[in-house]
Amino acid sequence: MRRRIIAGNWKMNMTKAEAKQFMADFLPLCKDAKCDTVLCVPFTDIHRVYKLAIGSNVKVGAQNVAWADKGAFTGEISAEMLKEVGAEYVIIGHSERRAYFGETDETVNMRTKQALKNGLKPIVCVGETLDQREGGKTEEVLANQVKKGLEGITEEVIIAYEPVWAIGTGKTATPEMANETIGFIRSVAQPLVGDVSILYGGSMNAANAQSLLNMEHIDGGLIGGASLKPNDFSVIVNCD
Ligand code: 13P
């Protein structure tokens, strides 16, 4: 089912004290938000943010999940562990994990299945690089990421389209370009997983969020930098 979902991705930011301050500032600003508001925070912040969010409309997510139940997987965190500390969502296959930590469509697929098996809501990330876009490969790359990442999956997932060239660069895709590309992703994903929510991510901020969210195919946002600022993030969650 398509829903407006606004998810912050804190990436590797926010100490204990900073997370506490963020929640104190942000919660009063988002109490009337009508979207599903999610904060995907570092593992070490999950339980704290979860506890601070009790009684609010804010849900908590992680930024990765192991594909196995338990065992010899040094450095990984299991779905059961994430649920135990309050996570409800999990980002899978972010381009930074693909670029720096060897994430592939196959591992994305395994992690997504594991999240679903354990009742976590996966936010599966796809996106093309600048070279791929300029080389006319955008649709081929995205179709591959979607088909391989979701192979064998029929349950509801959330997809985030994050063009790599727009992440942290201040270069946002135009609403029209993002809409067209997400429309294409929808045409590939729909036969597999049905009518899912597809988010846009990449330099989305308080100034450009409404124009992106107005577009037909853009159901919500996955926000990095602007999700670290309570005022900016609250503008986005309160968009019409
Ligand atoms: P920015 O909003 O900082 O460009 O990051 C986007 C992103 O990667 C969210 O997952």
mmCIF file of all heavy atoms in Angstrom, residues 7-11 91 94-96 125 160 162 166-171 200-205 222-227, ligand 1:
data_model
loop_
_atom_site.group_PDB
_atom_site.id
_atom_site.type_symbol
_atom_site.label_atom_id
_atom_site.label_comp_id
_atom_site.label_asym_id
_atom_site.label_seq_id
_atom_site.Cartn_x
_atom_site.Cartn_y
_atom_site.Cartn_z
ATOM 1 N N ALA A 7 11.588 9.315 6.095
ATOM 2 C CA ALA A 7 12.574 8.622 6.930
ATOM 3 C C ALA A 7 13.876 9.407 6.956
ATOM 4 O O ALA A 7 14.399 9.791 5.916
ATOM 5 C CB ALA A 7 12.816 7.210 6.378
ATOM 6 N N GLY A 8 14.379 9.650 8.147
ATOM 7 C CA GLY A 8 15.698 10.255 8.291
ATOM 8 C C GLY A 8 16.738 9.150 8.325
ATOM 9 O O GLY A 8 16.506 8.091 8.903
ATOM 10 N N ASN A 9 17.862 9.386 7.673
ATOM 11 C CA ASN A 9 18.995 8.464 7.762
ATOM 12 C C ASN A 9 20.122 9.257 8.413
ATOM 13 O O ASN A 9 20.751 10.097 7.765
ATOM 14 C CB ASN A 9 19.395 7.984 6.360
ATOM 15 C CG ASN A 9 20.650 7.132 6.388
ATOM 16 O OD1 ASN A 9 21.149 6.778 7.458
ATOM 17 N ND2 ASN A 9 21.168 6.813 5.215
ATOM 18 N N TRP A 10 20.353 8.964 9.692
ATOM 19 C CA TRP A 10 21.372 9.732 10.423
ATOM 20 C C TRP A 10 22.789 9.324 10.016
ATOM 21 O O TRP A 10 23.747 9.958 10.412
ATOM 22 C CB TRP A 10 21.188 9.534 11.932
ATOM 23 C CG TRP A 10 20.115 10.376 12.529
ATOM 24 C CD1 TRP A 10 19.288 11.241 11.876
ATOM 25 C CD2 TRP A 10 19.754 10.459 13.921
ATOM 26 N NE1 TRP A 10 18.434 11.851 12.771
ATOM 27 C CE2 TRP A 10 18.701 11.387 14.029
ATOM 28 C CE3 TRP A 10 20.213 9.828 15.076
ATOM 29 C CZ2 TRP A 10 18.107 11.716 15.256
ATOM 30 C CZ3 TRP A 10 19.623 10.142 16.302
ATOM 31 C CH2 TRP A 10 18.575 11.072 16.382
ATOM 32 N N LYS A 11 22.912 8.215 9.259
ATOM 33 C CA LYS A 11 24.241 7.706 8.878
ATOM 34 C C LYS A 11 25.100 7.584 10.152
ATOM 35 O O LYS A 11 24.572 7.203 11.189
ATOM 36 C CB LYS A 11 24.857 8.605 7.795
ATOM 37 C CG LYS A 11 23.887 8.787 6.612
ATOM 38 C CD LYS A 11 24.514 9.398 5.401
ATOM 39 C CE LYS A 11 23.465 9.520 4.297
ATOM 40 N NZ LYS A 11 23.994 10.029 3.049
ATOM 41 N N ILE A 91 17.050 0.178 6.852
ATOM 42 C CA ILE A 91 17.565 0.534 5.525
ATOM 43 C C ILE A 91 18.455 -0.610 5.043
ATOM 44 O O ILE A 91 19.279 -1.122 5.810
ATOM 45 C CB ILE A 91 18.406 1.832 5.600
ATOM 46 C CG1 ILE A 91 17.530 3.026 6.005
ATOM 47 C CG2 ILE A 91 19.104 2.112 4.270
ATOM 48 C CD1 ILE A 91 18.323 4.309 6.268
ATOM 49 N N HIS A 94 22.018 0.662 1.100
ATOM 50 C CA HIS A 94 22.324 2.070 0.836
ATOM 51 C C HIS A 94 23.568 2.154 -0.052
ATOM 52 O O HIS A 94 24.475 1.343 0.059
ATOM 53 C CB HIS A 94 22.553 2.808 2.159
ATOM 54 C CG HIS A 94 22.614 4.292 1.974
ATOM 55 N ND1 HIS A 94 23.751 4.928 1.554
ATOM 56 C CD2 HIS A 94 21.666 5.251 2.119
ATOM 57 C CE1 HIS A 94 23.497 6.227 1.446
ATOM 58 N NE2 HIS A 94 22.245 6.447 1.781
ATOM 59 N N SER A 95 23.632 3.165 -0.896
ATOM 60 C CA SER A 95 24.759 3.256 -1.850
ATOM 61 C C SER A 95 26.099 3.376 -1.129
ATOM 62 O O SER A 95 27.129 2.958 -1.661
ATOM 63 C CB SER A 95 24.569 4.425 -2.808
ATOM 64 O OG SER A 95 24.583 5.637 -2.103
ATOM 65 N N GLU A 96 26.101 3.943 0.075
ATOM 66 C CA GLU A 96 27.376 4.008 0.812
ATOM 67 C C GLU A 96 27.822 2.610 1.234
ATOM 68 O O GLU A 96 29.016 2.306 1.251
ATOM 69 C CB GLU A 96 27.225 4.944 2.030
ATOM 70 C CG GLU A 96 27.158 6.404 1.580
ATOM 71 C CD GLU A 96 26.314 7.316 2.449
ATOM 72 O OE1 GLU A 96 26.000 6.945 3.600
ATOM 73 O OE2 GLU A 96 25.957 8.406 1.961
ATOM 74 N N CYS A 125 17.317 0.308 -0.916
ATOM 75 C CA CYS A 125 17.820 1.455 -1.680
ATOM 76 C C CYS A 125 18.365 1.039 -3.044
ATOM 77 O O CYS A 125 19.090 0.046 -3.159
ATOM 78 C CB CYS A 125 18.949 2.138 -0.922
ATOM 79 S SG CYS A 125 18.460 2.756 0.686
ATOM 80 N N ALA A 160 13.637 2.933 -1.814
ATOM 81 C CA ALA A 160 14.132 4.314 -1.854
ATOM 82 C C ALA A 160 14.995 4.480 -3.095
ATOM 83 O O ALA A 160 15.952 3.725 -3.291
ATOM 84 C CB ALA A 160 14.944 4.637 -0.607
ATOM 85 N N GLU A 162 17.662 6.580 -4.662
ATOM 86 C CA GLU A 162 18.650 7.593 -4.302
ATOM 87 C C GLU A 162 19.732 7.646 -5.384
ATOM 88 O O GLU A 162 20.673 6.847 -5.372
ATOM 89 C CB GLU A 162 19.299 7.240 -2.960
ATOM 90 C CG GLU A 162 18.312 7.153 -1.819
ATOM 91 C CD GLU A 162 18.991 7.397 -0.475
ATOM 92 O OE1 GLU A 162 19.939 6.687 -0.129
ATOM 93 O OE2 GLU A 162 18.564 8.336 0.220
ATOM 94 N N ALA A 166 23.360 12.522 -6.298
ATOM 95 C CA ALA A 166 22.591 13.542 -5.572
ATOM 96 C C ALA A 166 22.778 13.447 -4.064
ATOM 97 O O ALA A 166 22.273 14.277 -3.312
ATOM 98 C CB ALA A 166 21.104 13.416 -5.916
ATOM 99 N N ILE A 167 23.519 12.415 -3.603
ATOM 100 C CA ILE A 167 23.628 12.192 -2.164
ATOM 101 C C ILE A 167 24.732 13.057 -1.573
ATOM 102 O O ILE A 167 25.892 12.948 -1.948
ATOM 103 C CB ILE A 167 23.894 10.702 -1.859
ATOM 104 C CG1 ILE A 167 22.688 9.865 -2.284
ATOM 105 C CG2 ILE A 167 24.200 10.498 -0.383
ATOM 106 C CD1 ILE A 167 22.873 8.374 -2.088
ATOM 107 N N GLY A 168 24.335 13.931 -0.656
ATOM 108 C CA GLY A 168 25.304 14.750 0.063
ATOM 109 C C GLY A 168 26.013 15.776 -0.806
ATOM 110 O O GLY A 168 27.009 16.363 -0.404
ATOM 111 N N THR A 169 25.502 15.993 -2.004
ATOM 112 C CA THR A 169 26.193 16.887 -2.937
ATOM 113 C C THR A 169 25.480 18.227 -3.093
ATOM 114 O O THR A 169 26.034 19.151 -3.682
ATOM 115 C CB THR A 169 26.233 16.253 -4.352
ATOM 116 O OG1 THR A 169 24.883 15.989 -4.754
ATOM 117 C CG2 THR A 169 27.027 14.961 -4.352
ATOM 118 N N GLY A 170 24.251 18.311 -2.581
ATOM 119 C CA GLY A 170 23.464 19.515 -2.811
ATOM 120 C C GLY A 170 22.811 19.517 -4.190
ATOM 121 O O GLY A 170 22.047 20.403 -4.530
ATOM 122 N N LYS A 171 23.152 18.499 -5.019
ATOM 123 C CA LYS A 171 22.534 18.394 -6.358
ATOM 124 C C LYS A 171 21.308 17.501 -6.273
ATOM 125 O O LYS A 171 21.430 16.278 -6.237
ATOM 126 C CB LYS A 171 23.504 17.720 -7.333
ATOM 127 C CG LYS A 171 24.614 18.580 -7.810
ATOM 128 C CD LYS A 171 25.360 17.822 -8.916
ATOM 129 C CE LYS A 171 26.810 18.268 -8.948
ATOM 130 N NZ LYS A 171 27.707 17.256 -9.463
ATOM 131 N N TYR A 200 12.024 9.185 -2.477
ATOM 132 C CA TYR A 200 13.166 9.810 -3.129
ATOM 133 C C TYR A 200 14.193 10.190 -2.065
ATOM 134 O O TYR A 200 13.827 10.643 -0.968
ATOM 135 C CB TYR A 200 12.746 11.081 -3.901
ATOM 136 C CG TYR A 200 13.972 11.851 -4.342
ATOM 137 C CD1 TYR A 200 14.702 11.425 -5.450
ATOM 138 C CD2 TYR A 200 14.458 12.937 -3.597
ATOM 139 C CE1 TYR A 200 15.881 12.063 -5.812
ATOM 140 C CE2 TYR A 200 15.629 13.580 -3.959
ATOM 141 C CZ TYR A 200 16.338 13.134 -5.062
ATOM 142 O OH TYR A 200 17.514 13.765 -5.391
ATOM 143 N N GLY A 201 15.476 10.022 -2.366
ATOM 144 C CA GLY A 201 16.528 10.481 -1.461
ATOM 145 C C GLY A 201 17.675 11.077 -2.247
ATOM 146 O O GLY A 201 18.005 10.605 -3.349
ATOM 147 N N GLY A 202 18.292 12.110 -1.682
ATOM 148 C CA GLY A 202 19.425 12.765 -2.332
ATOM 149 C C GLY A 202 19.277 14.270 -2.250
ATOM 150 O O GLY A 202 18.552 14.866 -3.040
ATOM 151 N N SER A 203 19.913 14.856 -1.245
ATOM 152 C CA SER A 203 19.872 16.308 -1.040
ATOM 153 C C SER A 203 18.437 16.850 -0.941
ATOM 154 O O SER A 203 18.156 17.959 -1.375
ATOM 155 C CB SER A 203 20.654 17.043 -2.129
ATOM 156 O OG SER A 203 22.021 16.672 -2.077
ATOM 157 N N MET A 204 17.554 16.047 -0.363
ATOM 158 C CA MET A 204 16.188 16.536 -0.105
ATOM 159 C C MET A 204 16.271 17.391 1.161
ATOM 160 O O MET A 204 16.921 17.023 2.138
ATOM 161 C CB MET A 204 15.261 15.349 0.119
ATOM 162 C CG MET A 204 13.789 15.693 0.143
ATOM 163 S SD MET A 204 12.888 14.122 -0.121
ATOM 164 C CE MET A 204 11.220 14.655 0.112
ATOM 165 N N ASN A 205 15.635 18.552 1.108
ATOM 166 C CA ASN A 205 15.756 19.457 2.261
ATOM 167 C C ASN A 205 14.460 20.240 2.465
ATOM 168 O O ASN A 205 13.476 20.034 1.739
ATOM 169 C CB ASN A 205 16.964 20.390 2.062
ATOM 170 C CG ASN A 205 16.849 21.205 0.772
ATOM 171 O OD1 ASN A 205 15.758 21.629 0.400
ATOM 172 N ND2 ASN A 205 17.979 21.397 0.099
ATOM 173 N N LEU A 222 13.806 9.837 1.808
ATOM 174 C CA LEU A 222 14.854 9.301 2.687
ATOM 175 C C LEU A 222 15.900 10.398 2.762
ATOM 176 O O LEU A 222 16.520 10.746 1.757
ATOM 177 C CB LEU A 222 15.428 7.999 2.108
ATOM 178 C CG LEU A 222 16.499 7.298 2.951
ATOM 179 C CD1 LEU A 222 15.978 6.958 4.354
ATOM 180 C CD2 LEU A 222 16.963 6.005 2.276
ATOM 181 N N ILE A 223 16.042 10.947 3.958
ATOM 182 C CA ILE A 223 16.756 12.213 4.100
ATOM 183 C C ILE A 223 17.994 12.048 4.966
ATOM 184 O O ILE A 223 17.900 11.545 6.098
ATOM 185 C CB ILE A 223 15.804 13.277 4.713
ATOM 186 C CG1 ILE A 223 14.661 13.556 3.730
ATOM 187 C CG2 ILE A 223 16.533 14.571 5.027
ATOM 188 C CD1 ILE A 223 13.348 12.988 4.138
ATOM 189 N N GLY A 224 19.139 12.469 4.450
ATOM 190 C CA GLY A 224 20.386 12.389 5.206
ATOM 191 C C GLY A 224 20.627 13.663 5.993
ATOM 192 O O GLY A 224 20.088 13.868 7.078
ATOM 193 N N GLY A 225 21.428 14.552 5.424
ATOM 194 C CA GLY A 225 21.870 15.760 6.128
ATOM 195 C C GLY A 225 20.757 16.535 6.831
ATOM 196 O O GLY A 225 20.893 16.916 8.003
ATOM 197 N N ALA A 226 19.646 16.754 6.137
ATOM 198 C CA ALA A 226 18.573 17.570 6.721
ATOM 199 C C ALA A 226 17.857 16.858 7.866
ATOM 200 O O ALA A 226 17.152 17.501 8.657
ATOM 201 C CB ALA A 226 17.570 17.974 5.640
ATOM 202 N N SER A 227 18.068 15.539 8.005
ATOM 203 C CA SER A 227 17.402 14.832 9.114
ATOM 204 C C SER A 227 18.183 14.984 10.419
ATOM 205 O O SER A 227 17.736 14.531 11.476
ATOM 206 C CB SER A 227 17.239 13.338 8.790
ATOM 207 O OG SER A 227 18.457 12.634 8.930
HETATM 208 P P1 13P B 1 21.526 13.570 1.825
HETATM 209 O O1 13P B 1 20.107 13.940 2.146
HETATM 210 O O2 13P B 1 22.508 14.064 2.857
HETATM 211 O O3 13P B 1 21.911 13.921 0.419
HETATM 212 O O4 13P B 1 21.614 11.980 1.927
HETATM 213 C C1 13P B 1 20.664 11.221 1.279
HETATM 214 C C2 13P B 1 20.793 9.822 1.737
HETATM 215 O O5 13P B 1 21.778 9.153 1.431
HETATM 216 C C3 13P B 1 19.752 9.271 2.599
HETATM 217 O O6 13P B 1 19.880 7.905 2.756
#
